[in-house]
Amino acid sequence: MSPEEPQPPAAAGSPPSSTDDALERSIPWIIRNGIGIQLMETMAVGAILTAFAIELGASNFIIGLLAAIPHLSQLAQISAMYVVDRVPSRRKVYTWSGIVARPMFLVIACTVFIPSSELALTVIIVAFIARYVAGAFLACAWNTWMRDLVPEDVMGRVFGERQKKMIGIGIVGSLAAAGFIDLWGRFVPLPGSYAFGIVYTLAFIGGMYAVFASNRISDVVQVHQEHVPLLARLKEPLGNLNYRRLMIFLASWNFAINLAAPFFTVHMLKRMELNLIEVIALATLSQFAAYFTVTHWGDVADRFSNKAVLRVCAPLFILCIFAWAFTTMPDVHAFTYPLLIIIHAATGFSNAGVTLASGNIALKLAPKGNAASYMAASSVFNAVAAGTATMVGGLTADLFASKHLTLILRWQSELTSTEISAMDFSYWDFFFMFAAIIGLYSLHRLSLVREEGEIDDRTILDHIRQTTWQTLRNLSSIAGLRAATEYPMDSLIAADGGSDGSEHEGEQGGGTEEGEESGHVGDRGQDDG
């Protein structure tokens, strides 16, 4: 049996080496899959998408809609669960879904030739819907596939390393894309939208590479269980008290984050009047902070628990959101740029842990062999919450454009009278405040979730301090500097460097059926959807 062919679960009495070998062969391709996904996501969403929409004259509602599509499209995971349950090979579902989803980036790239901005935005919206509906099948297949392939005790290490390399390629890709768009506008006598078309073409290439890499990951044939009606399958997680608490936490968290996060870029580009390269540079700072900490969060998750990581990172993330309200008071001030730098660094540090741990805990608490219904139910809750939040933000943003909430501190004596503006909220600042308040509620919901291996916060913080000190010591040495700047370019090499020499993809005759992979790990082991 070749490494690419689906591999049934090992029999009860068989030695564990075959399963271990399949996992070890798969890990490099799981990571390469993530690298392709990160190239795709870096070029296609986030600041690049927002800047493209603004270039086409999109309103706040359209920007909110574009941010909502990835979330609301995940409702298709209900249908995806039905398909994944009935197709033994998750890899096959993943491949065909990727073949449908990825070409949508080429469609978006071609919209730069449409003379009407309104029509171009309509085509982009339709293409994004198609991409993310197909992506829901990718996500469902990927989540259950990885749940059965990767053991719990190494999940943090594997996906932590994957996420770290994704962050690394994201740093390079985002800076290159932003620099290219900026230079195009300055030196090329063609419409600026053409630069976005080229970037979206590169996103298509990255997505298809990710699909290709997934075909080298060992498949795990599902054990068919007694047929249970779809509605009953979706209700099953709700009957599990602990998992229901987890879903409420994740839903409230996603509502809080997506009420504010999609509009950070709008806030910087429009209200603060930064250019795209400055916005991307700040995002790169955030990625650097995540790059140097994500493997530590994976170690903490494996050694202690995913909830331990969330208890440390989630409050910091909420504080970062609230701090956005002070970047303008009401306009750009002397501390705006230092505050932006601090916010982005702290956001990268905290988001690395939140993203990794929130995905892993959802996988870990889902029962093996029946993860599809649990993950689909969680995705539905998260999709509705996140999509609703972005739509609320887009629809109501203009209502707060002329509103102000000011707090002035006044000192008066016999000789002088001094006033200090302690708070001046307007426009997006209200959404940053609302998001922080809802985020605090989500932390309460997290406290109710139970995970095996929970420990007190003091132990976690002691461990973090020790590993951080060790990292700083490493950075002070030549070897440490080299490790910190070493980039995993070998991950892009097609052939696996395994010692057994059995997986040189160019030498594999017969390969797999149709294709490749697709997916996005919310940077945690999940597919991109």
Side-chain angles (χ1 to χ4, degrees):
M1 181 179 291
S2 68
E4 287 86 353
E5 292 175 349
Q7 299 179 10
S14 62
S17 57
S18 61
T19 302
D20 293 342
D21 289 345
L23 177 62
E24 289 304 315
R25 289 194 302 269
S26 298
I27 287 175
W29 294 103
I30 291 174
I31 293 173
R32 290 166 188 156
N33 161 274
I35 289 173
I37 288 167
Q38 188 64 33
L39 281 172
M40 176 189 70
E41 292 294 301
T42 297
M43 304 288 181
V45 296
I48 300 294
L49 174 61
T50 302
F52 188 25
I54 292 175
E55 176 82 12
L56 295 175
S59 64
N60 285 327
F61 170 73
I62 294 298
I63 292 172
L65 178 60
L66 287 171
I69 287 172
H71 304 296
L72 295 179
S73 297
Q74 294 308 300
L75 294 174
Q77 285 212 33
I78 297 174
S79 300
M81 187 182 75
Y82 182 87
V83 172
V84 169
D85 277 349
R86 283 158 178 75
V87 177
S89 172
R90 269 76 60 92
R91 185 170 62 189
K92 187 178 293 187
V93 175
Y94 199 58
T95 296
W96 281 107
S97 301
I99 291 173
V100 172
R102 301 305 179 232
M104 293 301 105
F105 293 118
L106 286 180
V107 174
I108 294 171
C110 291
T111 61
V112 302
F113 300 110
I114 299 177
S116 170
S117 295
E118 291 79 7
L119 180 58
L121 286 168
T122 301
V123 173
I124 289 172
I125 290 170
V126 172
F128 260 89
I129 291 173
R131 176 263 167 120
Y132 280 106
V133 168
F137 287 77
L138 291 173
C140 189
W142 177 265
N143 289 336
T144 59
W145 184 9
M146 293 300 104
R147 179 67 179 87
D148 291 343
L149 178 64
V150 183
E152 290 180 5
D153 58 344
V154 297
M155 196 174 284
R157 175 180 64 84
V158 171
F159 292 116
E161 182 65 21
R162 181 179 192 257
Q163 186 177 346
K164 181 177 180 180
K165 294 188 177 182
M166 289 173 69
I167 292 169
I169 197 70
I171 291 170
V172 176
S174 58
L175 285 175
F180 172 74
I181 292 170
D182 186 61
L183 291 173
W184 180 284
R186 294 183 183 184
F187 300 109
V188 180
L190 291 173
S193 59
Y194 285 17
F196 289 97
I198 295 173
V199 167
Y200 271 88
T201 302
L202 295 176
F204 163 74
I205 295 172
M208 291 309 297
Y209 175 78
V211 174
F212 168 80
S214 71
N215 263 312
R216 302 303 193 211
I217 301 172
S218 296
D219 205 354
V220 180
V221 177
Q222 297 186 93
V223 178
H224 288 286
Q225 301 178 350
E226 182 181 351
H227 176 68
V228 179
L230 181 62
L231 185 59
R233 294 285 304 280
L234 288 174
K235 286 183 177 179
E236 184 179 342
L238 298 177
N240 184 319
L241 177 61
N242 196 42
Y243 207 85
R244 184 170 72 242
R245 288 172 171 172
L246 175 65
M247 288 194 297
I248 294 173
F249 157 67
L250 292 175
S252 59
W253 176 264
N254 277 285
F255 186 92
I257 300 308
N258 286 280
L259 187 62
F263 305 104
F264 291 156
T265 301
V266 182
H267 180 68
M268 289 186 286
L269 289 174
K270 290 181 124 179
R271 190 173 174 193
M272 302 174 67
E273 298 183 345
L274 302 183
N275 57 46
L276 182 59
I277 193 67
E278 289 174 321
V279 173
I280 294 296
L282 288 168
T284 300
L285 172 63
S286 185
Q287 291 174 320
F288 266 118
Y291 181 82
F292 287 114
T293 57
V294 66
T295 51
H296 293 306
W297 293 131
D299 292 340
V300 172
D302 286 340
R303 181 173 176 179
F304 303 114
S305 68
N306 293 290
K307 186 178 173 182
V309 176
L310 290 170
R311 289 208 309 265
V312 173
C313 294
L316 179 58
F317 196 95
I318 293 171
L319 181 61
C320 290
I321 291 178
F322 186 63
W324 275 93
F326 298 92
T327 56
T328 53
M329 295 182 62
D331 299 313
V332 174
H333 51 80
F335 296 101
T336 293
Y337 285 96
L339 187 56
L340 283 174
I341 291 172
I342 293 171
I343 289 173
H344 279 83
T347 297
F349 173 84
S350 58
N351 190 43
V354 170
T355 302
L356 180 69
S358 61
N360 281 355
I361 193 173
L363 288 171
K364 182 178 179 180
L365 297 186
K368 249 189 176 179
N370 192 28
S373 60
Y374 279 73
M375 296 301 297
S378 178
S379 294
V380 167
F381 269 70
N382 294 339
V384 171
T388 301
T390 55
M391 292 298 292
V392 167
L395 286 169
T396 61
D398 293 334
L399 297 177
F400 289 90
S402 59
K403 305 295 188 297
H404 285 269
L405 176 63
T406 304
L407 176 63
I408 297 177
L409 300 180
R410 178 178 300 162
W411 168 263
Q412 189 167 355
S413 67
E414 296 83 356
L415 300 176
T416 61
S417 178
T418 303
E419 291 185 353
I420 299 175
S421 179
M423 183 178 71
D424 194 326
F425 286 1
S426 63
Y427 210 179
W428 295 114
D429 298 336
F430 289 103
F431 292 92
F432 304 150
M433 179 179 66
F434 297 152
I437 293 172
I438 299 171
L440 291 176
Y441 168 75
S442 71
L443 293 182
H444 163 66
R445 300 304 312 185
L446 174 64
S447 67
L448 302 177
V449 178
R450 295 290 173 261
E451 182 189 8
E452 183 180 351
E454 287 185 51
I455 59 170
D456 62 275
D457 291 347
R458 182 179 297 276
T459 304
I460 304 166
L461 293 173
D462 286 344
H463 176 75
I464 293 171
R465 279 194 293 267
Q466 291 172 6
T467 55
T468 301
W469 173 243
Q470 182 61 48
T471 299
L472 292 174
R473 290 178 60 190
N474 288 342
L475 288 174
S476 66
S477 65
I478 296 299
L481 287 171
R482 185 179 61 198
T485 57
E486 187 177 23
Y487 187 72
M489 294 302 294
D490 60 295
S491 298
L492 295 174
I493 299 174
D496 182 23
S499 59
D500 61 359
S502 63
E503 195 179 358
H504 296 285
E505 69 169 272
E507 300 172 4
Q508 292 292 346
T512 50
E513 307 85 53
E514 16 332 57
E516 302 109 2
E517 109 109 26
S518 92
H520 186 188
V521 290
D523 298 9
R524 60 210 195 203
Q526 287 180 285
D527 187 277
D528 73 40

